[in-house]
Amino acid sequence: MEAGARLAFVMPLVVVLLLMIFSLGVRGVDVVVDGGGGGAAAARRRRVEVGVILDRRTWLGNISWACMELAVEDFYADEERASYTTALRLHLRDTRLDAVDAASAGVDLLKNVHVQAIVGPQTSAQAKFLAELGEKSSVPVVSFSANSPCRTASQTPYFIRTAWNDSSQAEAIASLVQRFNWRDVIPVIEDDDSNTRFIPDLVDALRNAEIRVTHRCKIHPSAGADDIKKVVLSLKEKWTSVFVVRMSYQLALSLFKHAKDEGMMGQGFVWIAAYGLTDIFDVVGSPAFDVMQGVIGMKPYVNDTKQLQNFRQRWRKMYKSENPGTTLSEPTISGLYAYDTVWALALAAEKAGYVNSDFLLSEKNNGSTDFDRINTSNAAKKLQSTLLNIDFQGMSGKFQFQDMHLLSMTYEIINIVGEEQRVVGFWTPEFNISRGLNTKADVNEIIWPGGETTVPRGWLFPMNKTLKIGVPAKPGFSGFIKKEKDNFTGLCIEVFEEVLNGLPYKIPHDYVEFGNGKGESNGTYDELIYKVYQKDFDAAVGDITILANRSLYVDFTLPYTESGVRMLVPVQDQRQKTAWTFLQPLTADLWLGTAAFFVLTGFVVWFIEHRTNEDFRGPPVNQIGSVFYFAFSTLVFAHRQKIVNNLSRVLLVIWLFVVLILQQSYTASLSSILTVEQLQPTVTNLDEVIRKGANVGYLNDSFMPELLKRLKIDESKLIALDSPDEYNEALSTGRVAVVVDEIPYLKVFLSKYCHNYTMVGPTYKFDGFGFAFPLGSPLTAEISRGILNFTSSNRMAQLERELYNNRTCPDKDDSQTSSSLTLRSFLGLFIITGASSLLALFLHVVITLYNHRHDLSSASSSQSLWCGWFAILLKIFHEGDRPNAPQLDEPAVSNANTTADTPWSTPDHHIIENVDSGSDVESVREEDREDFVQGPDPPSFAYMHSERGQ
């Protein structure tokens, strides 16, 4: 703002001084073109004086004047405008491009001709002065070629541009760069007033598209061949290979000639010519085509209408007659703008109506300079306001003003191939970059410099450059970085070399140790990163952790190692071997449950076998012992009782399967408890360390102190360590309780000391190791893509195995542990055996009751129903069938009625003599045989136990 204020204050003074010096200055040749024509209608037309300031010695001035002459002729020759009451009269001041000459001509036109508008000037330097004159006199200054001398239209309300706004072209160029994914651009411009507004607009548009402008190259208009060659050589040393060029034709021709000589018009380079330069091919011809092959250009799109074709024919005939030997075959876009400008002024003059020359005397009319004596014109004010509202379809397209410029519409993208300007696409506000005006299709194939059709990547490794790569000194963990004489090895170096070898181009590089020459580091890793930021190193390669604060100074590649920070702690066996260790395999509930099912199974088998199996009969004490002995002997499959009942056999098979599973599980668990150490970490979290006030170890020269301080660990408790051996010594002696470090370092340590230590605690997230490059370096993305490909390869896995000595050490807190077996683990088996036992018991009872249904029915006739049933059931249970004794057909026992109602009475068909298998049935005494004759009622229980019964 201060610079603008100073400029606004100084410029009038400069104008005043110059006009005083050149009060008789060069006014150029006065050429008048009258738009009145001939005839009566033309005689009635009133003249509207318009000044024109051009340099006809330039191609732009010559072409534009020819177009303006044709515009006046065409406009008033049309029968539709025969009734017009006004007619433009053009007063040409053919001056040089010097700003003083233009200002002198402007003063002359205002004072002596009393023009109501000035068309021109050609250059932005001239526009600065004429804009001041226009504001002073309220006369519009209309230019179709010069850029606005300031940023905003409000500062020069009488300066009007009948050309497209440069900001729209900047957006089109930014869209083109973004379309091909180029991330860096270098503008190469002429250092004059023509780019005062264009460059800020271009930079803003590129930044909005997230494209960096890392460097700006300015060339002075008077630069010689040597100066331009130095500029080209400086561009050759840059990484960026995408250039946007905007300058005068002669300067551009020299630039591209030197670029071609230096090999910069070959493969990998991109040259974009902004509008203002793209007309060079129409003006210069073959010399421009020869040195600009593969260049992309931006031009305002002009619809090739029939009207335009007719105009080209008439212009070509007129121009060649006035300029014999010219190579121009058609007017440039600037010439079309000049044509439309005259039409717009003629329309505005007619709409505004005729006003006599009404220049009012200045308040300083008696001043000492011509500048002070310039008058103001109300007619010019009215013409200016009318002109800004003009809207018609001109030769160049739609003619409509927006923010003191013509409304920008569409740009066409040209590609220079041979002697041809190929249209490969368009830029429109609606579709952005596209092949056609009404489609979103991609642009046509572009032939890039060097004749390549493959899109350049937008950067090149600088020619004759060798990267200087900083490598940290790492004596403790040599697996990552190791220096042997002048060679560097280790995981980090191997990964970097493998990635570079995978690139399609070679990158010369040298490793430089960041150390003191004695194998020790010359500073922290943060200091190494800062060396890259200061451009002392072109990159840094090593075990460098990607951190947020470091990324403020460099760009990191993607990580190539495992990320995160954990604790390293000693481990100890948590199991105590005691006299009762044998009980640990099973929990208390499983012990109790197993014992309960042992008893249940033994009871059910005894109950089923009791009636028919002599092994399960006898005194009550013996029977109780049989129950427990049989049940627990199945544990070792040592039961000797003979099983005769099928239900018992089925139940025993199921139970033996359960016993087998229990026995095997118990054996395995007990073996694990007695032989496998249950190693547990001595510390599980940092809170415990803080609470105990123990020391914490960390790797020297790392970022760990900052992390540990954030975790609220006292700085006095931190101890720096340098190597795995120091880790082991500090942990084993108790000098530190834990070591906090990154996972790759801890894995290297555990590959050597796996048995006594483990990693525990939460993983603090960090991004692992990466390579550092200067901010904006294009190598960052290239190396990152290479890392993605390499880390998924077998070669990366091989390097990691070599680093960790082909050993993996699992976390002790997550493995090598053995817990007691619980009841829940065997609940399914117990349910099966329990259900089987109950089912066998139920079936046995049902079958037995069914077989003795007659005895139960006889009990229902007794006086005491319940007592009768109970007696019958006891008798059935205690004196059941004996399939292992012979069945005898004995006569009925006499006098049995006396005991028929006793509770121990037994039906006749259940009385079986227990005869030894080796005895002779005929040896039974006759009297005894008579006593066992079946009577009407069974013998009583007392009789059976009497001497007679025996």
Side-chain angles (χ1 to χ4, degrees):
M1 294 297 293
E2 294 180 359
R6 287 196 300 269
L7 182 64
F9 175 75
V10 172
M11 283 189 58
L13 297 179
V14 175
V15 173
V16 170
L17 292 176
L18 292 175
L19 291 181
M20 289 177 65
I21 296 173
F22 296 96
S23 58
L24 300 176
V26 181
R27 295 178 181 176
V29 180
D30 187 2
V31 180
V32 179
V33 176
D34 195 344
R44 294 194 302 269
R45 292 174 180 166
R46 296 178 175 84
R47 307 300 178 210
V48 178
E49 311 297 340
V50 176
V52 180
I53 301 176
L54 295 172
D55 184 2
R56 292 192 63 186
R57 287 167 295 187
T58 65
W59 69 268
L60 177 60
N62 204 22
I63 292 174
S64 300
W65 177 246
C67 292
M68 294 172 74
E69 288 181 304
L70 284 176
V72 172
E73 178 183 340
D74 293 345
F75 187 85
Y76 293 106
D78 195 332
E79 294 181 358
E80 294 182 359
R81 288 177 283 277
S83 61
Y84 275 25
T85 60
T86 59
L88 295 185
R89 178 184 289 173
L90 304 183
H91 297 267
L92 173 65
R93 293 295 184 266
D94 189 2
T95 67
R96 293 176 297 177
L97 294 179
D98 189 87
V100 176
D101 288 349
S104 176
V107 172
D108 173 57
L109 290 171
L110 290 172
K111 286 182 59 181
N112 301 322
V113 183
H114 291 198
V115 295
Q116 296 183 20
I118 296 177
V119 178
Q122 280 184 228
T123 67
S124 298
Q126 295 172 333
K128 287 183 179 180
F129 294 96
L130 290 178
E132 295 288 339
L133 291 176
E135 186 174 2
K136 178 72 177 177
S137 61
S138 301
V139 172
V141 177
V142 185
S143 177
F144 51 83
S145 59
N147 291 323
S148 178
C150 61
R151 293 291 294 169
T152 60
S154 61
Q155 294 176 287
T156 53
Y158 287 89
F159 183 81
I160 303 172
R161 290 193 73 232
T162 53
W164 286 6
N165 193 345
D166 279 342
S167 62
S168 63
Q169 183 183 192
E171 293 178 5
I173 293 175
S175 297
L176 180 66
V177 174
Q178 189 179 36
R179 161 62 186 78
F180 293 107
N181 296 319
W182 298 320
R183 309 314 309 163
D184 298 274
V185 170
I186 295 180
V188 184
I189 59 173
E190 186 172 356
D191 190 11
D192 63 357
D193 294 330
S194 63
N195 291 304
T196 302
R197 184 168 182 174
F198 172 71
I199 292 302
D201 288 340
L202 177 62
V203 172
D204 290 344
L206 291 172
R207 286 178 177 173
N208 290 337
E210 298 183 353
I211 300 166
R212 294 184 295 266
V213 179
T214 57
H215 180 70
R216 303 182 194 183
C217 181
K218 297 182 179 180
I219 303 177
H220 195 272
S222 61
D226 292 339
D227 297 329
I228 296 177
K229 185 175 182 179
K230 289 180 181 178
V231 170
V232 172
L233 291 176
S234 68
L235 294 176
K236 193 175 181 180
E237 296 176 355
K238 305 296 182 184
W239 289 80
T240 304
S241 62
V242 180
F243 309 102
V244 177
V245 183
R246 176 165 162 162
M247 55 183 61
S248 63
Y249 301 148
Q250 295 303 321
L251 202 60
L253 202 62
S254 179
L255 172 70
F256 282 104
K257 182 179 182 301
H258 284 89
K260 183 178 180 181
D261 294 340
E262 295 296 329
M264 296 182 66
M265 296 302 298
Q267 182 179 357
F269 289 92
V270 178
W271 296 89
I272 302 174
Y275 172 64
L277 176 58
T278 46
D279 288 337
I280 188 174
F281 306 105
D282 298 324
V283 177
V284 178
S286 295
F289 284 113
D290 291 342
V291 297
M292 297 178 67
Q293 289 295 302
V295 171
I296 303 175
M298 287 285 181
K299 294 179 66 174
Y301 170 70
V302 177
N303 189 18
D304 191 16
T305 61
K306 187 175 182 179
Q307 180 186 5
L308 178 58
Q309 294 173 0
N310 294 333
F311 170 73
R312 286 189 185 128
Q313 293 178 356
R314 292 187 297 109
W315 180 90
R316 189 180 301 114
K317 181 178 180 181
M318 173 185 175
Y319 190 78
K320 288 188 175 182
S321 64
E322 295 180 358
N323 302 275
T326 182
T327 58
L328 283 173
S329 60
E330 61 181 49
T332 62
I333 296 178
S334 296
L336 300 181
Y337 286 152
Y339 184 95
D340 291 341
T341 299
V342 172
W343 273 61
L345 284 170
L347 289 172
E350 183 66 23
K351 289 184 178 181
Y354 176 74
V355 178
N356 288 325
S357 291
D358 56 349
F359 278 87
L360 303 178
L361 295 178
S362 172
E363 296 178 357
K364 299 180 180 180
N365 197 42
N366 57 352
S368 59
T369 66
D370 287 343
F371 189 82
D372 291 334
R373 290 192 293 270
I374 292 177
N375 302 327
T376 60
S377 172
N378 289 330
K381 286 183 179 181
K382 189 174 183 181
L383 179 64
Q384 187 250 9
S385 61
T386 306
L387 176 63
L388 292 177
N389 293 320
I390 290 296
D391 184 0
F392 69 99
Q393 193 68 29
M395 197 67 68
S396 63
K398 186 175 181 60
F399 193 98
Q400 182 181 356
F401 285 102
Q402 183 183 53
D403 192 24
M404 308 298 283
H405 295 78
L406 280 188
L407 180 63
S408 303
M409 300 295 291
T410 302
Y411 283 92
E412 63 181 8
I413 305 170
I414 63 172
N415 182 209
I416 306 304
V417 181
E419 295 282 333
E420 180 186 2
Q421 302 179 55
R422 297 172 56 241
V423 178
V424 295
F426 298 89
W427 176 87
T428 59
E430 181 181 1
F431 296 107
N432 210 328
I433 301 296
S434 60
R435 179 180 299 178
L437 294 175
N438 300 310
T439 179
K440 292 184 179 181
D442 197 4
V443 296
N444 293 317
E445 184 180 68
I446 297 176
I447 306 300
W448 304 97
E452 294 291 328
T453 57
T454 303
V455 178
R457 60 176 177 267
W459 68 274
L460 291 173
F461 190 81
M463 299 180 181
N464 302 322
K465 181 178 178 61
T466 300
L467 289 184
K468 182 181 178 183
I469 300 177
V471 179
K474 199 72 175 177
F477 289 85
S478 59
F480 295 100
I481 294 291
K482 184 178 181 181
K483 183 180 181 183
E484 297 177 346
K485 295 182 179 180
D486 295 331
N487 296 325
F488 288 87
T489 59
L491 175 70
C492 302
I493 300 296
E494 293 289 341
V495 172
F496 187 71
E497 289 291 340
E498 291 284 352
V499 172
L500 289 187
N501 293 336
L503 297 178
Y505 45 87
K506 297 297 182 182
I507 299 181
H509 58 282
D510 291 329
Y511 295 111
V512 179
E513 186 180 36
F514 184 62
N516 57 8
K518 300 179 182 179
E520 299 175 353
S521 177
N522 202 28
T524 64
Y525 279 47
D526 290 340
E527 293 173 347
L528 172 60
I529 293 299
Y530 197 69
K531 288 289 185 181
V532 178
Y533 172 74
Q534 291 179 320
K535 304 298 178 65
D536 293 336
F537 292 122
D538 297 313
V541 173
D543 49 344
I544 304 170
T545 305
I546 303 171
L547 299 177
N549 63 325
R550 293 175 180 174
S551 65
L552 299 176
Y553 299 94
V554 296
D555 284 340
F556 282 103
T557 64
L558 292 175
Y560 57 90
T561 62
E562 186 176 358
S563 62
V565 172
R566 296 190 72 184
M567 290 192 306
L568 179 69
V569 299
V571 294
Q572 62 183 11
D573 190 3
Q574 298 296 319
R575 282 204 178 98
Q576 300 297 325
K577 308 300 188 297
T578 66
W580 302 102
T581 302
F582 72 92
L583 295 176
Q584 294 181 10
L586 307 182
T587 58
D589 58 348
L590 182 55
W591 278 116
L592 295 176
T594 303
F597 277 92
F598 268 106
V599 174
L600 174 63
T601 304
F603 171 77
V604 173
V605 171
W606 169 81
F607 188 87
I608 296 174
E609 294 291 326
H610 175 74
R611 300 181 59 256
T612 58
N613 193 336
E614 285 295 330
D615 291 341
F616 291 89
R617 299 180 66 86
V621 175
N622 292 341
Q623 295 186 47
I624 293 174
S626 297
V627 170
F628 285 97
Y629 173 75
F630 173 81
F632 286 98
S633 64
T634 58
L635 183 63
V636 292
F637 306 101
H639 52 284
R640 296 183 178 180
Q641 292 87 342
K642 184 178 180 181
I643 304 300
V644 299
N645 194 292
N646 287 333
L647 290 177
S648 301
R649 291 168 179 167
V650 173
L651 175 60
L652 184 60
V653 169
I654 296 174
W655 173 245
L656 289 178
F657 175 74
V658 174
V659 169
L660 177 65
I661 298 299
L662 282 172
Q663 185 188 59
Q664 296 297 327
S665 300
Y666 175 85
T667 303
S669 181
L670 182 61
S671 299
S672 175
I673 292 173
L674 294 177
T675 59
V676 178
E677 293 180 326
Q678 187 172 354
L679 300 176
Q680 295 292 333
T682 56
V683 178
T684 57
N685 56 70
L686 278 177
D687 292 335
E688 185 178 349
V689 176
I690 298 173
R691 187 169 58 254
K692 293 179 179 179
N695 293 331
V696 177
Y698 67 92
L699 181 61
N700 196 14
D701 292 334
S702 69
F703 65 94
M704 288 301 153
E706 289 75 13
L707 171 64
L708 296 174
K709 290 175 186 177
R710 292 200 303 267
L711 295 175
K712 299 180 180 180
I713 296 179
D714 191 352
E715 186 175 359
S716 62
K717 300 296 182 180
L718 303 181
I719 297 179
L721 305 171
D722 290 314
S723 66
D725 293 335
E726 289 192 19
Y727 285 11
N728 178 51
E729 183 274 332
L731 289 169
S732 61
T733 59
R735 187 155 63 99
V736 298
V738 298
V739 171
V740 179
D741 207 344
E742 294 178 82
I743 291 176
Y745 296 128
L746 299 183
K747 283 189 172 182
V748 170
F749 173 84
L750 290 175
S751 67
K752 186 176 181 181
Y753 301 100
C754 180
H755 184 69
N756 298 324
Y757 304 96
T758 187
M759 287 188 291
V760 298
T763 300
Y764 301 97
K765 295 298 183 181
F766 290 93
D767 281 342
F769 298 161
F771 305 127
F773 291 91
L775 292 172
S777 173
L779 277 178
T780 306
E782 293 289 314
I783 299 298
S784 294
R785 282 189 286 269
I787 289 174
L788 285 177
N789 293 328
F790 180 70
T791 51
S792 60
S793 65
N794 293 330
R795 176 59 179 160
M796 184 64 187
Q798 179 183 352
L799 291 176
E800 289 182 341
R801 287 194 299 268
E802 293 174 359
L803 176 66
Y804 303 135
N805 298 321
N806 293 319
R807 293 186 61 186
T808 57
C809 188
D811 292 349
K812 305 295 189 305
D813 55 342
D814 297 328
S815 62
Q816 295 186 356
T817 61
S818 178
S819 59
S820 300
L821 302 174
T822 63
L823 178 63
R824 184 178 182 86
S825 303
F826 300 92
L827 189 59
L829 289 174
F830 287 143
I831 290 175
I832 293 173
T833 187
S836 302
S837 298
L838 296 178
L839 179 61
L841 182 63
F842 174 76
L843 291 176
H844 174 71
V845 171
V846 170
I847 293 172
T848 301
L849 294 179
Y850 178 78
N851 292 335
H852 298 81
R853 59 187 179 278
H854 299 294
D855 298 332
L856 293 175
S857 61
S858 62
S860 60
S861 61
S862 63
Q863 297 177 353
S864 177
L865 180 61
W866 292 106
C867 292
W869 279 3
F870 183 72
I872 294 300
L873 290 176
L874 287 178
K875 184 184 69 172
I876 293 172
F877 178 72
H878 283 289
E879 299 179 357
D881 301 329
R882 301 177 189 177
N884 55 344
Q887 299 292 331
L888 301 177
D889 295 332
E890 299 291 346
V893 180
S894 59
N895 302 322
N897 289 333
T898 58
T899 59
D901 295 333
T902 63
W904 297 104
S905 61
T906 305
D908 56 342
H909 56 276
H910 286 288
I911 300 176
I912 301 173
E913 179 69 29
N914 187 8
V915 181
D916 186 73
S917 59
S919 62
D920 189 356
V921 177
E922 297 300 331
S923 62
V924 180
R925 293 180 301 171
E926 185 67 25
E927 59 271 24
D928 293 336
R929 184 183 302 270
E930 293 177 357
D931 293 338
F932 283 91
V933 176
Q934 181 69 36
D937 291 323
S940 65
F941 182 76
Y943 173 80
M944 292 177 60
H945 287 78
S946 64
E947 291 182 0
R948 185 65 175 170
Q950 293 295 329

